[in-house]
Amino acid sequence: QREIPVCYCSSIADKFVDGLEALVDKYNFDGVYLDGTAMTRACQNRAHGCGYIDREGNLQPTYRMYPIRNMFKRLYEVFSSRGKIINCHISDCVNCGVLSFCDSLWMGEYIQYNLVKEGINDMPDGYLRASHAGRNFGIPTEFIVYENRPIWNFEDALVFAMLHGIL
C-alpha cells in the first residue's frame, strides 16, 4: 500500500465527499470501504489551521478530530440518504467522534501482527473485548484476518474471534 496521509482541515475533505457522492450517484454501488480514513493524522500546516509554535519556537503538529468528524457526518448524509453503507477500517485507532457516522467497523489487522510477534500471553482479555467486539461502540465490528501460516491462519482467527464474541 502506498497511502498518502491527508489533513481533513484542508479542502480535500469537501473534494473527497463530493467525489464519492458523484460516484455513488453514477454507479449506484452499495457503499464504501474506507481504510484508515477515520484516523487522525499529525499536521503542521498553519495555512489551514493546524500546528502550533511551542515555547522554544518549534513548529509542532496537531491532531484535529472535528474536521474528520464533520467529513464523516457529510459522508453519512450522502450514503444513508441513498440507502448505502459506510464500512470503516480503523486499524485499532478508535475515533469515537466518527463512529456514529459509520455502519460497521473492520478491525483486527493491527492486533494480528502483535499476536504473531508476541503470542497470546501478552494480550489481555479485557483489551480484546473492549477494542474489537463492537458492543461498546454500538455498531457491528468485524475481525479482519490475514493469514501468516504456520503461526496464524483463518482457523486460529475464527476460534480467537468466537472466544471473544467478535464477528
Side-chain angles (χ1 to χ4, degrees), residues 120 123-126 128-129 133 135 159-166:
I120 192 73
M123 201 71 54
D125 288 343
L128 294 168
R129 290 186 181 111
R135 289 181 294 279
V159 170
F160 181 81
M162 288 175 64
L163 178 65
H164 295 286
I166 303 167

Side-chain angles (χ1 to χ4, degrees), residues 131-149:
S131 63
H132 286 73
R135 289 181 294 279
N136 51 332
F137 306 131
I139 58 177
T141 302
E142 296 186 37
F143 194 63
I144 298 175
V145 178
Y146 299 116
E147 292 193 308
N148 190 349
R149 290 183 184 268

